[in-house]
Amino acid sequence: MRKNRSIPKCRVIPELEYADVEAASAWLCEVFGFTLRISMGSHRAQLNVEDDGAVILTERTAGGKKFPAHSVLIRVEDADAHAAKAIKNGAKVVRPAMDYPYGERQYTAEDFAGNRWTFSQTIADVAPESWGGTTKKS
């Protein structure tokens, strides 16, 4: 797996929606002992879970949910090949593969039950500050 400072190094990363990401981040850190890895304004945050785990918090949109309340991000070596295989085997792609300024190429698919899965390929090692993120200073 390629290194990228803008994404946690673990392969499987749960994504949880909250109405207030900053409050949720503070609560999870205080109550469960997680630590803030990267803050992306008030709409997204990455938390460390011990040394080898992570969780991403995303903002719930006003007036309803943008996505299911929970989704999973999986790191893969080749997002395009993974998407092609998923489509061939019946997955419904809801967001095609795209490159993002934080050094990841991602696509999102729904499984047979409507759960969302995002598959992410590291394409560059990018400092979070270069795209507006804030790295937690130790």
Side-chain angles (χ1 to χ4, degrees):
M1 191 66 54
R2 289 181 65 182
K3 177 185 175 187
N4 180 2
R5 291 168 284 168
S6 290
I7 191 166
K9 63 183 175 185
C10 52
R11 188 171 296 270
V12 178
I13 307 165
E15 296 181 302
L16 306 172
E17 269 191 6
Y18 289 93
D20 185 333
V21 169
E22 291 172 318
S25 178
W27 190 92
L28 292 166
C29 289
E30 176 68 26
V31 175
F32 294 147
F34 300 164
T35 57
L36 180 65
R37 181 175 184 277
I38 298 173
S39 173
M40 297 159 224
S42 63
H43 70 283
R44 199 167 178 87
Q46 294 178 6
L47 304 181
N48 293 315
V49 181
E50 299 294 333
D51 294 330
D52 60 353
V55 63
I56 294 175
L57 311 182
T58 62
E59 180 180 40
R60 181 172 294 143
T61 59
K65 294 181 179 180
K66 186 178 189 180
F67 299 112
H70 308 293
S71 63
V72 179
L73 186 144
I74 308 282
R75 296 184 72 197
V76 297
E77 293 292 338
D78 185 335
D80 294 308
H82 194 280
K85 181 178 179 185
I87 292 165
K88 180 180 174 186
N89 289 299
K92 175 184 170 189
V93 172
V94 295
R95 190 182 62 195
M98 300 183 332
D99 294 350
Y100 289 91
Y102 44 85
E104 296 296 307
R105 180 167 179 76
Q106 300 176 336
Y107 84 94
T108 302
E110 279 187 357
D111 65 19
F112 65 93
N115 296 307
R116 296 232 172 162
W117 298 79
T118 297
F119 296 91
S120 187
Q121 170 190 349
T122 296
I123 55 176
D125 179 18
V126 179
E129 290 73 17
S130 71
W131 48 261
T134 304
T135 304
K136 167 73 169 110
K137 306 295 184 217
S138 298

